[in-house]
Amino acid sequence: MKRKIKRYIDCYVPITTCNLRCSYCYVAQQGLFKQAVPHFEHSAKEIRQALSVQKLGGVCVLNLCAGGETLIAEEVIAIIRELLEEGHFVGVVTNGLLAHRFDELAAFPKELLDHLFIKFSFHYLELKRLNVFDVYFSNIKKMQKAGASFTVEMTPCDEEIPLISEIKQVCMENLGALCHVTIARSDIDPDQRIPHLSKYDFETYKTIWSIFHSDLFDFKASIFYQHRDEFCYAGDWTFYVNLGTGDATQCYCGKKIGNIFDNEPLHFEAIGKKCTQAHCYNGHSWLAFGDIPNLKTPTYAQMRNRITETGEEWLKPAVKDAFATKLCHTNRRYSLWRRYKVDHPSPSKE
């Protein structure tokens, strides 16, 4: 049965520790690799309660992503299970190397695995340096066999350009399809332009990496460097939350809409036309789910799926349906008056 998705929530897992050393990673850019695995202040059950279907208004898609390796902390497995048991669809971003964690995930009941999505980051140079391709692809096959959905996504860097043919061959031999490609970006740009991370100009960069025929890359490239000035429903239909502190904000920018661990309800309110980001660099999720309803975009399912040479799909039916959601179909658009009030707030009284 197709489930109606109420919201998409990007959940930051407060971990910067990682078992890889990718040059393009912002953890590397900021020198955070040696930070210890943190202690979670809230239990998995408390996080489930804080993100309950009742509190969020319905079943949601929750994306769990750490600054480092998401699965490096043992508590994360329990968090994933609790959120799945709550009825949500849960995505997990991982480098795919911690085999014991995937053993734990693969042992989940089938009804939970039907709602689980794994984004396997394809850090090609590190996998090659460490000679762990067999571990990586074995974990993908393990989750696929268990019944979870997945995708494989590479962050393209200049050092990989001479290896493109080799990378494509490895993908076809092990996946039966090419990996998806995202856009490497600099998170330490002093002017906050959030530029792509390459010695090549953006047009050349797009030409080089478009050879992977990735809907993800093509869409991100089409919106990169474009500031959004349309009315955006981030803050209501979608939001960003830190699972460590519980603080929830409209997006990566915008105002705080509450704390998920408080007893008070979240104050959902669209950011409207007040986005301060240089561009929607992760619009493959926010915009694909329809935060700007009149903007024509592919679905999130199209960004994540691939059909293999044998006709198999990376996304299983339940996840594919959930990821094909446009949130304007499960939420009400604001009236003209409400939109005006969002974009022209009354001055706060001292």
Side-chain angles (χ1 to χ4, degrees), residues 18-29:
C18 192
N19 51 334
L20 297 182
R21 298 292 183 267
C22 304
S23 62
Y24 45 78
C25 177
Y26 89 90
V27 175
Q29 294 173 31

Side-chain angles (χ1 to χ4, degrees), residues 58-350:
V59 173
C60 299
V61 173
L62 309 178
N63 182 64
L64 273 58
C65 182
E69 168 49 36
T70 308
L71 295 178
I72 210 164
E74 61 181 345
E75 296 96 329
V76 175
I77 299 297
I79 293 169
I80 294 168
R81 178 155 189 158
E82 290 288 344
L83 294 174
L84 288 170
E85 289 181 345
E86 182 64 19
H88 296 304
F89 288 82
V90 178
V92 183
V93 178
T94 173
N95 62 36
L97 290 179
L98 301 179
H100 59 296
R101 296 286 186 242
F102 295 106
D103 289 338
E104 295 175 78
L105 291 172
F108 283 6
K110 182 183 183 303
E111 63 269 20
L112 300 187
L113 289 165
D114 282 344
H115 282 205
L116 180 63
F117 166 76
I118 308 292
K119 197 216 85 172
F120 287 95
S121 298
F122 190 35
H123 300 296
Y124 190 81
L125 290 178
E126 282 292 275
L127 297 179
K128 186 171 184 176
R129 178 179 71 86
L130 297 170
N131 191 26
V132 287
F133 285 114
D134 55 340
V135 176
Y136 179 79
F137 288 113
S138 173
N139 288 331
I140 293 175
K141 290 179 173 64
K142 183 184 301 177
M143 295 312 302
Q144 185 180 26
K145 183 178 180 181
S149 297
F150 74 96
T151 198
V152 178
E153 175 189 309
M154 184 175 71
T155 301
C157 64
D158 292 350
E159 296 91 332
E160 289 167 332
I161 292 174
L163 303 174
I164 286 178
S165 295
E166 176 185 318
I167 294 169
K168 292 173 69 176
Q169 181 178 351
V170 168
C171 287
M172 295 306 299
E173 289 177 352
N174 290 277
L175 300 169
L178 296 178
C179 61
H180 276 299
V181 182
T182 185
I183 295 178
R185 67 177 190 272
S186 172
D187 285 330
I188 56 174
D189 175 53
D191 298 322
Q192 298 299 306
R193 295 177 297 114
I194 320 174
H196 71 290
L197 188 65
S198 174
K199 68 181 180 182
Y200 297 98
D201 65 79
F202 195 53
E203 289 304 314
T204 303
Y205 183 84
K206 288 193 293 184
T207 299
I208 292 170
W209 295 107
S210 62
I211 196 170
F212 281 82
H213 305 292
S214 167
D215 288 341
L216 173 68
F217 180 81
D218 291 345
F219 180 65
K220 292 191 75 167
S222 74
I223 60 172
F224 215 79
Y225 290 121
Q226 293 185 11
H227 176 72
R228 307 315 314 185
D229 55 9
E230 304 97 330
F231 190 92
C232 179
Y233 283 90
D236 191 336
W237 300 354
T238 64
F239 66 90
Y240 175 76
V241 63
N242 184 318
L243 294 185
T245 65
D247 287 337
T249 53
Q250 290 174 308
C251 193
Y252 303 135
C253 63
K255 64 184 180 182
K256 183 177 175 180
I257 62 172
N259 187 292
I260 61 171
F261 299 121
D262 290 345
N263 292 326
E264 298 295 321
L266 296 173
H267 303 289
F268 298 117
E269 182 182 293
I271 200 169
K273 296 182 178 181
K274 302 192 298 295
C275 180
T276 60
Q277 293 285 296
H279 54 93
C280 193
Y281 56 84
N282 276 339
H284 70 282
S285 55
W286 310 115
L287 300 182
F289 272 106
D291 268 345
I292 300 177
N294 293 330
L295 181 67
K296 187 175 181 180
T297 73
T299 65
Y300 191 60
Q302 289 173 267
M303 307 290 182
R304 293 310 190 189
N305 205 10
R306 284 285 205 191
I307 300 176
T308 70
E309 290 181 310
T310 58
E312 293 180 281
E313 296 190 53
W314 288 359
L315 299 187
K316 297 294 190 334
V319 167
K320 184 178 178 181
D321 284 344
F323 284 9
T325 298
K326 290 292 185 180
L327 294 172
C328 60
H329 298 153
T330 52
N331 293 275
R332 288 187 177 182
R333 302 191 196 194
Y334 292 7
S335 65
L336 288 175
W337 174 238
R338 189 178 180 189
R339 289 174 58 179
Y340 179 85
K341 289 176 68 177
V342 166
D343 291 330
H344 304 84
S346 302
S348 59
K349 295 182 180 179
E350 296 293 335

